[in-house]
Amino acid sequence: MPHPRAAAAFAALALLTAAAAPAAAAADVPLPSAIFLATHNSYSGDLDGARGSIAQQLDQGVRFIELDIHDNGYATAHDYSLGHDAPGDAVDHDGNPASNLLRDWLAVIDAWSAQHPAAAPITVALDVKDDLTDNTSYAAGNLAALNQELAAAFGDRLLRADEYPADPPSLDALRGRVLALISGNGRTRTLYKRDVGTGPAVAVNGRGQVVEVHDSGSGDLWYWSGTYGADGAVTWLRHGRYDSGVTPAVALNDDGDLVEVHQSQSATTLWYRVGRVAADGEIAWSASRQYDNGVLPTVRFTDAGTRLREIHRSQSNSQNWTWAGVLDPAARTVAWTGNARTSDARYDRTTATAGTSRVHVWTGADGPTPSQTLRVDTDRRTGDRIRYPQVAFTEFQQGDSAELQQGALFYAAPATQSAFITAARRAGRLVRGWDFDSAGDATDPPANYPATNHPYDAWYQNLLAQAGAVR
């Protein structure tokens, strides 16, 4: 059943649109030129404002849905939870899913979109209330898990941020599509776009699997795993913390078995771990085991299977030392033998090859990003960031850093910040003004997404009709 005030209000909107909308609004326009009905805290329904259920909002032409999410309890629920100040807070379940789980609410939007392929594109904003970057693995709910949930929820209907063309697409070309937007926690938005670290090292195998390891700069060891593609780009699939230490190095064979070596953070002991890279990029790690004393360890497979060589420097002088190793993949151990001095140089930790494929990792600023930004070159690409696939767009909000502004398509501010909204609109951005709850909040040009708590009030309907809002 329609919201009590929705049917009459939307009928009025349709009449006003036909009578008063500018001629340009009736024609196809670039996406950044379009105006859409939008709601703030869409999940709150009628608990705080008058919105109705998510399906009712979509039925009545709303094309911007905001969901606040938390990671509390992710390890148990294997999902994020909706809520304002906490999971379940201000969530209206009337006509909406009975649970607070994000996947259930995304399923409502996906089902509606599937049934309305001619509808204007829906933007789903996830206002992240917790810092997702302190989740140290996919299983703990990091941003790789969020990416996977969005991709699973919307499938081919999802317009990924990394697929957005250089020239803005037309509104009509995007009908039936869904755009995901990460809002909220600033650190989460920032680390979705880039990562930082020190001393990166890399390995690649003949199957195109890639593993990068680095020190956080404060003694935590992290990895990225991914795949080397036909275009020479590396797609990073998984990210996580696996140990503590410094100066890590890694070797990877064609079976997906890896051996990682590193120095302890506070001493000159040398340690190794064995891992196995799954098809989805997840790494199952062994315990960490000490094998020697020294500094600056490096490691390589010397055949296609199990034989390794490790070279490190003495902790007391410039002499290099070497070990031969044999990997036992089942036991996830290495048998080290033949420790001896060597005149051979340590391996280049930062560059790996497999056939004609080459992967090189380094750190360097990318525009306004820090100098410790993790970067990757391949034999066919230069200067890419090591980061999550850009499945979602990231929102630049008033007062954010220059690196969040860099390349941002979506801008946002409270609806009262008219100067920010109009400047962003004139710059060709997609702009949201939240808490748009008064006709006095209207700007010229208007926000693309005037996100209101009262979408069926006559003043809002009139303003959106005059602006030529599309649905």
Side-chain angles (χ1 to χ4, degrees), residues 21-30 33 171 467-468 470:
D28 191 18
V29 296
S33 299
L171 171 70
V470 295

Side-chain angles (χ1 to χ4, degrees), residues 202-223:
V202 72
V204 61
N205 67 16
R207 295 163 54 194
Q209 292 177 307
V210 181
V211 175
E212 182 273 348
V213 291
H214 64 271
D215 170 13
S216 66
S218 57
D220 289 325
L221 295 176
W222 291 77
Y223 77 89

Side-chain angles (χ1 to χ4, degrees), residues 224-397:
W224 285 94
S225 64
T227 57
Y228 176 98
D231 60 352
V234 178
T235 300
W236 301 100
L237 303 174
R238 292 286 191 269
H239 178 45
R241 188 175 68 201
Y242 68 92
D243 209 333
S244 60
V246 294
T247 64
V250 64
L252 179 66
N253 70 17
D254 287 351
D255 293 326
D257 299 308
L258 67 88
V259 175
E260 180 271 354
V261 294
H262 63 270
Q263 179 185 335
S264 63
Q265 182 181 7
S266 57
T268 55
T269 52
L270 297 178
W271 300 76
Y272 81 93
R273 278 180 178 262
V274 174
R276 181 68 181 254
V277 187
D280 61 5
E282 196 68 24
I283 298 179
W285 292 95
S286 73
S288 185
R289 298 178 174 90
Q290 184 181 353
Y291 67 96
D292 203 351
N293 294 289
V295 296
L296 303 175
T298 62
V299 65
R300 289 280 173 88
F301 278 98
T302 57
D303 64 14
T306 61
R307 295 189 178 278
L308 298 143
R309 189 183 185 203
E310 186 272 356
I311 307 175
H312 64 271
R313 196 182 76 189
S314 168
Q315 68 272 29
S316 56
N317 54 50
S318 61
Q319 177 65 55
N320 285 345
W321 290 77
T322 185
W323 285 95
V326 178
L327 170 67
D328 183 337
R332 292 184 183 170
T333 59
V334 175
W336 300 102
T337 60
N339 186 217
R341 293 180 177 87
T342 180
S343 59
D344 292 345
R346 296 184 303 279
Y347 294 115
D348 179 1
R349 302 162 51 249
T350 66
T351 304
T353 59
T356 60
S357 303
R358 180 184 60 84
V359 181
H360 172 68
V361 293
W362 52 290
T363 58
D366 185 13
T369 73
S371 60
Q372 296 82 25
T373 300
L374 294 170
R375 312 286 293 277
V376 58
D377 300 336
T378 73
D379 48 292
R380 282 179 282 172
R381 295 177 67 96
T382 303
D384 288 346
R385 299 182 189 183
I386 299 176
R387 63 178 181 179
Y388 296 99
Q390 301 295 281
V391 172
F393 296 85
T394 51
E395 190 172 64
F396 169 70
Q397 297 183 0

Side-chain angles (χ1 to χ4, degrees), residues 36-125:
F36 305 87
L37 278 77
T39 51
H40 175 241
N41 292 345
S42 311
Y43 58 91
S44 290
D46 295 334
L47 295 183
D48 175 24
R51 308 171 193 82
S53 69
I54 296 296
Q56 288 171 343
Q57 293 174 51
L58 293 168
D59 283 342
Q60 305 309 322
V62 171
R63 296 293 177 264
F64 185 100
I65 299 292
E66 181 191 20
L67 304 175
D68 293 357
I69 63 170
H70 300 260
D71 62 2
N72 309 59
Y74 188 97
T76 301
H78 306 295
D79 200 2
Y80 310 93
S81 297
L82 267 64
H84 192 263
D85 293 330
D89 178 47
V91 179
D92 190 350
H93 295 288
D94 186 12
N96 286 319
S99 84
N100 297 319
L101 298 180
L102 176 61
R103 70 171 65 92
D104 295 335
W105 292 69
L106 296 181
V108 171
I109 300 169
D110 179 62
W112 191 94
S113 179
Q115 294 165 6
H116 300 82
I122 302 168
T123 298
V124 180

